[in-house]
Amino acid sequence: MKVGIFGGRFDPPHFGHLLLCRDLVEGGFLDEVRFLVNYHPPHKKAYASYYHRVRMVEILLRDEEKLKVDTFEGDMGISPSYTYEVLKLYGEKHPKDEIFFVLGADQMVDIKTWKNYRELPSLAKFLVLARGNFQIPEDIMETFKPVIVRHRLVEISSSEIRERLFSGKSVKGLTSEGVIEYIHVHGLYSKPQSVEVFVDGSSLGNPGLMRAAFVVLVNGKKVYEEIEELGEGTNNEAEYYALFNALSWLKDNSIFGARVYMDSMLVVNQVKGSFKLRAENLRDLNAKCKQLLLETSSILEYIPRKSNLADAIMR
């Protein structure tokens, strides 16, 4: 099967993405196109989290039989998501598919700046979407031998949609009604996002059966909550596991600058380094939580138990 891999931030996805890929299938160039949502774009920041971008693409493609969402980058945790790393792993996972990497002519012209670009032709075939006058250097054409497909002019961009939303203007007709509704429900692209994460863990019996929970608010609205039952352990262990789960979720969804709240002053101070951690079995989790705080640029703070939204869902 000839499979097109159409990678991007999709921040947000729009009708231009859909029409170009539908044309590739209906024109007989490809049997299927998979929208590969960038997990951690190496060069450009994503405004919406990975979780939101995946969901918006799912909504945009809900009625498309041969256009599909592919969460490969997120499932594999590829960070940063360089094309070389992605295609190498993707080919290993899908050895029976004939893979075509879909990109624009402007991207093809600049491909020498990409990581390990000389090795890319061995990982996939390249299908270039071109319109108007374009010139790809001869050495690149010789190295990649891309399939060139002339495409329709679709003057829609994700940046235009974001700018219109930032300004309070309508984006009707640029993307689907379902995507627009999702954006408004979750407060995306309307103003700088304030992300708050409430974390709690406990054990029944101390030690006993551990439970871990966290709640995520974006601009004051709850967008996600999770509660998990763990094995046997102490309250302190449960708090650490809850914090680790919450910070891992932030990293997986490319969310940075969150304020993370816990009602365990002990864990907060141990992670910050103002209290010495004596439990040997928690040192690895402590180190991982510190690293995740750095990677997500998040701030850990203590709050009273009555203010902890995660404590409420644990009850």
Side-chain angles (χ1 to χ4, degrees), residues 5-11 35-46 48-51 53-54 57 69-74 78-83 86 101 107 252-254:
I5 300 301
F6 186 47
R9 288 178 296 163
F10 305 113
D11 195 22
F35 282 54
L36 197 66
V37 183
N38 292 159
Y39 174 58
H40 183 187
H43 302 300
K44 293 183 179 180
K45 172 187 173 183
S49 73
Y50 175 74
Y51 170 86
R53 289 181 286 119
V54 167
V57 176
V69 183
D70 197 322
T71 58
F72 176 77
E73 288 190 21
I78 304 174
S79 178
S81 48
Y82 290 109
T83 300
V86 172
F101 185 73
Q107 294 173 294
D252 290 346
N253 288 281
S254 303

Side-chain angles (χ1 to χ4, degrees), residues 28-241:
F29 298 102
L30 299 169
D31 297 314
E32 178 179 290
V33 177
R34 298 171 188 168
F35 282 54
L36 197 66
V37 183
N38 292 159
Y39 174 58
H40 183 187
H43 302 300
K44 293 183 179 180
K45 172 187 173 183
Y47 288 82
S49 73
Y50 175 74
Y51 170 86
H52 286 313
R53 289 181 286 119
V54 167
R55 186 69 190 110
M56 285 188 285
V57 176
E58 289 175 341
I59 293 169
L60 181 70
L61 304 182
R62 63 173 38 143
D63 297 321
E64 300 294 325
E65 182 181 349
K66 296 184 179 181
L67 307 183
K68 301 179 180 179
V69 183
D70 197 322
T71 58
F72 176 77
E73 288 190 21
D75 296 341
M76 297 294 290
I78 304 174
S79 178
S81 48
Y82 290 109
T83 300
Y84 170 77
E85 310 290 352
V86 172
L87 290 180
K88 185 173 183 295
L89 292 172
Y90 201 90
E92 292 172 359
K93 187 172 181 180
H94 302 276
K96 295 182 180 180
D97 290 331
E98 186 179 4
I99 304 297
F100 289 78
F101 185 73
V102 180
L103 72 168
D106 56 339
Q107 294 173 294
M108 197 76 214
V109 169
D110 293 332
I111 204 162
K112 286 185 178 181
T113 64
W114 294 22
K115 180 179 179 180
N116 298 344
Y117 84 94
R118 292 184 184 276
E119 298 180 46
L120 295 176
S122 66
L123 302 177
K125 296 180 179 180
F126 277 63
L127 189 154
V128 178
L129 297 170
R131 59 183 171 88
N133 295 321
F134 77 98
Q135 285 204 331
I136 298 174
E138 289 185 11
D139 60 331
I140 293 178
M141 290 292 292
E142 180 62 29
T143 299
F144 284 83
K145 297 179 174 57
V147 176
I148 307 296
V149 177
R150 293 282 177 177
H151 69 85
R152 69 171 85 199
L153 176 63
V154 182
E155 292 189 327
I156 305 175
S157 69
S158 296
S159 60
E160 178 195 0
I161 292 175
R162 290 196 304 269
E163 288 167 7
R164 293 185 68 84
L165 289 166
F166 288 145
S167 303
K169 297 177 182 177
S170 172
V171 294
K172 195 167 185 178
L174 302 179
T175 188
S176 74
E177 290 294 331
V179 170
I180 294 171
E181 181 182 3
Y182 186 91
I183 288 170
H184 289 319
V185 167
H186 293 279
L188 306 180
Y189 312 117
S190 56
K191 57 182 177 180
Q193 294 190 11
S194 166
V195 181
E196 298 174 293
V197 184
F198 296 83
V199 180
D200 193 32
S202 67
S203 65
L204 301 173
N206 198 28
L209 180 65
M210 295 185 294
R211 300 168 74 210
F214 65 92
V215 177
V216 182
L217 269 60
V218 176
N219 293 336
K221 295 182 179 180
K222 184 190 294 186
V223 298
Y224 186 78
E225 68 176 45
E226 179 176 301
I227 185 165
E228 180 183 7
E229 288 192 354
L230 308 168
E232 295 282 316
T234 65
N235 279 326
N236 206 22
E237 285 180 274
E239 295 277 10
Y240 266 104
Y241 278 115

